[in-house]
Amino acid sequence: MLFPSDELLPTYPHSAHPPDPGGPLVRPWGVLQAVPISSEPLPDCHPTVVRVELDPDTQTTLCYDQHGYLVVAAGKHRKTYEWREIAEDTEPDQDSADGKTHTDYVRRQVPVD
Amino acid sequence: MGDQTVLVVTSLEDATADGVIRELGARGVPVARVDLAEFPRHATVSVRTPPGRGTDDVTHGTLCTASRTVDLTAVRALYYRRPGTFRFPPMAPEDRKFAFLQAGYGFGGALASLPNCLYVNHPARESFAEAKPAQWAAAAAVGLEVPPTLLTNSPDEARIFAAEVGRIVYKPLRTLPMHDPGGKPLIMYVTEADPASLDESIRHTAHVFQLLVEKTADIRVTVIGSRVFAVRIDSGILDWRADYTTHTYTVVDTPPGMATALRAYLDRFGLAFGVFDLGRRDRRGRGL
């Protein structure tokens, strides 16, 4: 903050620019541009942190949920699934003249190590 | 604590600072963490003038938190990352004003005056660097292109600017936590401004309007010291913060000229660390 708020400055009884000149409330144009945060709600399984405290040894934050359990942060972001082209044999089409199975290539998510 | 402590000034809720502290711990670097909100009830600072003259070792003192005692002359680096603000016991309003000012210039002054300390970043320099006009001037000085921009509280100037440049966006100079009457959190994204909405309420404070730049992607560049990291963000939306589900991230190389310009930008403000949001366009060029 380059300049302090008037709450921290002295006021003068005869100032030409009193802190609050009175009158009806106004709203700056910019403040009306604020919108609700468009975030999706957290899944039910997401722990709710209700208390934080400092770990005196590591100087990191310890987070506790509503049951008093320590919420452990996940490690580095890691890819656990990836999209792969997988060959799948389809069931024979009943209308198929030859009655044979066909191989389709489909994209599925598969776990990776 | 012994020599070479890194002092981390941040809130207890800051997960990014936790990541930095864990990495420092893994490297065996002694760390002390303090939040301005701990002062004065849970943190104590004492600083004395040095004996004699002719020394640049100007600050002798200690900082005591609930879990650390720090020799301020031995702090090798200070990581300043969104701390809280001072918390006082119940006081009369006038007394609280007094206490707040003394804490800012006293506790804050001590932390801002550490000898031989690498600041990441120095809070006073960072505060100045957050002024948009200073940013535009610095960007132009190092060769970055800034789209046509207007800062004003004049409704007439805003309307003239919109008529001159075409489609414009509104950008707040600073953001702050906001809530609607029902208590739900609000946020300000960069949004296109309808020229017809530019009314007399612009008079009530400073506003920034900027030419809406057609971009193909956003590039977020992080600079720390001499190292530069860039990631391309493809979102298809004007402000990528508005919908994280639209993002595709790609690590990209920073052109040497751009890296040099960004480092020069930070040097103008005396900053070790900075994050830049750049817009990528079809034609060759740089933008902020």
Side-chain angles (χ1 to χ4, degrees):
Chain A
M1 183 171 59
L2 293 178
F3 301 98
S5 79
D6 61 8
E7 293 178 356
L8 295 176
L9 295 175
T11 56
Y12 303 100
H14 305 296
S15 170
H17 305 287
D20 182 1
L25 296 178
V26 298
R27 304 199 76 190
W29 185 91
V31 81
L32 300 176
Q33 312 309 307
V35 296
I37 294 177
S38 56
S39 59
E40 296 182 3
L42 296 172
D44 291 339
C45 61
H46 194 282
T48 301
V49 174
V50 298
R51 181 169 61 89
V52 295
E53 64 181 46
L54 186 70
D55 183 328
D57 295 326
T58 66
Q59 298 288 282
T60 55
T61 301
L62 301 175
C63 302
Y64 295 90
D65 66 13
Q66 62 270 38
H67 306 296
Y69 291 112
L70 187 64
V71 177
V72 179
K76 291 182 178 178
H77 293 295
R78 188 170 72 90
K79 186 169 68 170
T80 54
Y81 289 86
E82 68 181 15
W83 288 96
R84 284 185 186 164
E85 297 277 346
I86 297 176
E88 287 190 349
D89 290 336
T90 62
E91 292 295 320
D93 189 339
Q94 292 186 351
D95 296 331
S96 173
D98 57 11
K100 294 180 180 176
T101 59
H102 299 277
T103 300
D104 287 341
Y105 287 88
V106 296
R107 283 174 59 79
R108 291 197 187 284
Q109 279 192 316
V110 297
V112 296
D113 294 332
Chain B
M1 293 192 72
D3 291 347
Q4 304 299 293
T5 296
V6 171
L7 184 59
V8 179
V9 182
T10 188
S11 73
L12 199 53
E13 294 81 8
D14 196 291
T16 299
D18 271 324
V20 172
I21 292 170
R22 276 193 292 271
E23 181 62 29
L24 290 170
R27 298 182 183 199
V29 177
V31 175
R33 178 177 187 153
V34 66
D35 187 6
L36 301 187
E38 294 175 48
F39 187 83
R41 288 190 285 185
H42 306 295
T44 302
V45 68
S46 300
V47 175
R48 290 181 179 231
T49 52
R53 299 180 181 180
T55 173
D56 59 358
D57 192 6
V58 294
T59 306
H60 288 260
T62 55
L63 166 66
C64 297
T65 69
S67 56
R68 293 283 192 273
T69 297
V70 180
D71 176 0
L72 291 176
T73 60
V75 174
R76 69 192 287 191
L78 185 148
Y79 178 44
Y80 186 82
R81 162 79 190 177
R82 300 181 182 175
T85 190
F86 305 113
R87 301 292 183 201
F88 299 100
M91 292 184 186
E94 288 295 319
D95 293 349
R96 187 179 176 282
K97 290 181 189 178
F98 173 83
F100 194 96
L101 272 179
Q102 307 311 306
Y105 285 97
F107 188 79
L111 297 186
S113 308
L114 303 178
N116 307 314
C117 175
L118 170 66
Y119 284 92
V120 185
N121 286 316
H122 193 286
R125 295 185 197 124
E126 189 167 283
S127 179
F128 176 64
E130 288 168 349
K132 294 283 187 194
Q135 294 177 3
W136 302 329
V142 301
L144 298 171
E145 180 184 339
V146 181
T149 306
L150 170 71
L151 183 158
T152 190
N153 70 324
S154 164
D156 288 341
E157 286 291 331
R159 288 188 282 262
I160 291 170
F161 180 73
E164 286 178 353
V165 305
R167 297 174 68 187
I168 59 172
V169 296
Y170 166 69
K171 290 184 170 182
L173 287 140
R174 290 283 291 166
T175 57
L176 73 167
M178 302 175 70
H179 298 84
D180 68 11
K184 292 183 178 177
L186 301 174
I187 191 170
M188 283 190 183
Y189 300 116
V190 175
T191 53
E192 183 168 3
D194 179 2
S197 72
L198 302 176
D199 59 19
E200 292 303 305
S201 62
I202 287 174
R203 175 75 63 192
H204 302 315
T205 193
H207 295 80
V208 169
F209 300 99
Q210 189 171 71
L211 170 68
L212 189 158
V213 177
E214 299 287 349
K215 61 189 178 184
T216 56
D218 292 281
I219 308 288
R220 169 160 278 208
V221 185
T222 301
V223 182
I224 176 73
S226 61
R227 303 191 68 182
V228 181
F229 306 89
V231 62
R232 173 179 171 138
I233 304 170
D234 287 280
S235 68
I237 54 180
L238 182 59
D239 186 337
W240 52 263
R241 299 171 304 162
D243 187 356
Y244 285 85
T245 65
T246 64
H247 295 186
T248 300
Y249 302 101
T250 309
V251 174
V252 295
D253 292 329
T254 308
M258 175 66 77
T260 302
L262 297 180
R263 187 57 258 171
Y265 177 100
L266 294 178
D267 289 342
R268 291 180 70 87
F269 292 109
L271 302 177
F273 164 75
V275 177
F276 300 82
D277 284 314
L278 310 175
R280 183 180 179 88
R281 293 179 297 191
D282 283 333
R283 69 177 179 83
R284 290 180 65 84
R286 305 165 178 172
L288 272 180

